Amino acid sequence: MDLYTTSLLLGGVGLGVMAVSGIGRHGGGSHGHAGHGHGHAGHGHAGHGHGHAHAHTHAHAVHTHSARDTVWALMSPRILFSFLIGFGTTGLVLRGPLDGVLLLAAAAVGGVAFERLIVAPLWNFAMRFASKPALTLESVITDDATAVSNFDANGQGLVAVELDGQLIQILGTLQATDRALGVRVRAGERVRIEEVDPTKNCCTVSVR
C-alpha cells in the first residue's frame, strides 16, 4: 500500500475506535486549569530590577504554557486521525492529475480542511449530547440558599439550595460571627453558603 492508502486506513480505523469507545474529548484535547490561582498578599518586593525579572519570568512561563497547550491540541488523537483520513482521501483522488510534491501539498491541505470543516463540527455537535458529570455538594459554596425553618438557639436550621437542577435540603449552621452578634434566621430568609461538609450533609451559612 502507498502512503495515501495507508493514511486513509489508519485514520479511519483510529477515528472509528475513538467514536465507539468514547475516549474522545470535546474540544480536541484542551486542558482546563481552573482553581489554581496563587495569591501573594503581604510580600513586598523591593527593587525595580527584581520586579522586572519576576515579570519577565512570569511572561516567559505563560508563553511556554500556551505553546505547550497548542502542541498538545495538535497531537490530539481525534485531530491526527481526522487529518490522516483527509490526507489519504485527497491523495487518492488527486493522484492522477498531480504527483510528487504538489500531490503531497494538496493532500496536506485536504487533511486540514477535512478535520476543521467536517470532523470538528460533527464531533462537537455529538459531544453536546454527552451526559454532564453530576455536581457535588461542594459546588454550592458561595451560592444563596433559603431557610426552610427558623434557626434554633444554637444557630441551626434546614436550608434549601439548588444542586444540579434539583432543590435539596441540608442542615445549616450559622457562622460563629453571626451567632455572636445574636443574628436570628427566620424561615424564608436568604442565606449564603460559606462551607459544606458532604460527609455529614451539612453546611455553614452566613446572613446575606
Side-chain angles (χ1 to χ4, degrees):
M1 291 188 296
D2 60 14
L3 174 63
Y4 304 107
T5 302
T6 301
S7 297
L8 177 59
L9 292 177
L10 181 60
V13 171
L15 199 61
V17 171
M18 287 186 66
V20 172
S21 62
I23 62 174
R25 290 180 296 176
H26 176 63
S30 60
H31 300 274
H33 296 279
H36 292 281
H38 298 278
H40 296 281
H43 296 279
H45 297 279
H48 174 73
H50 178 77
H52 177 73
H54 177 74
H56 176 75
T57 302
H58 178 70
H60 177 73
V62 171
H63 176 73
T64 302
H65 178 74
S66 177
R68 185 174 68 244
D69 283 352
T70 301
V71 172
W72 275 112
L74 293 176
M75 292 175 63
S76 164
R78 190 214 77 198
I79 294 179
L80 177 61
F81 291 139
S82 301
F83 172 81
L84 289 177
I85 293 176
F87 178 84
T89 301
T90 305
L92 292 175
V93 171
L94 299 180
R95 187 161 51 185
L98 299 177
D99 61 3
V101 177
L102 290 178
L103 179 59
L104 187 65
V109 173
V112 174
F114 179 75
E115 198 287 320
R116 299 313 302 167
L117 301 180
I118 298 177
V119 176
L122 291 176
W123 195 275
N124 292 338
F125 178 76
M127 289 301 101
R128 291 173 55 188
F129 297 95
S131 59
K132 296 181 180 179
L135 298 177
T136 61
L137 191 59
E138 288 90 340
S139 64
V140 302
I141 294 178
T142 72
D143 285 356
D144 286 345
T146 303
V148 178
S149 63
N150 295 335
F151 278 36
D152 59 24
N154 295 321
Q156 293 183 327
L158 288 177
V159 297
V161 63
E162 185 176 343
L163 175 63
D164 209 10
Q166 297 182 348
L167 201 62
I168 64 171
Q169 293 185 8
I170 57 177
L171 177 64
T173 301
L174 198 60
Q175 66 181 5
T177 52
D178 288 338
R179 293 201 308 270
L181 293 174
V183 174
R184 287 298 186 92
V185 178
R186 304 295 181 184
E189 292 185 3
R190 303 285 286 177
V191 294
R192 174 188 170 96
I193 297 180
E194 302 293 347
E195 298 177 9
V196 296
D197 186 344
T199 59
K200 296 182 180 179
N201 199 38
C202 62
C203 66
T204 301
V205 300
S206 65
V207 292
R208 300 179 69 241

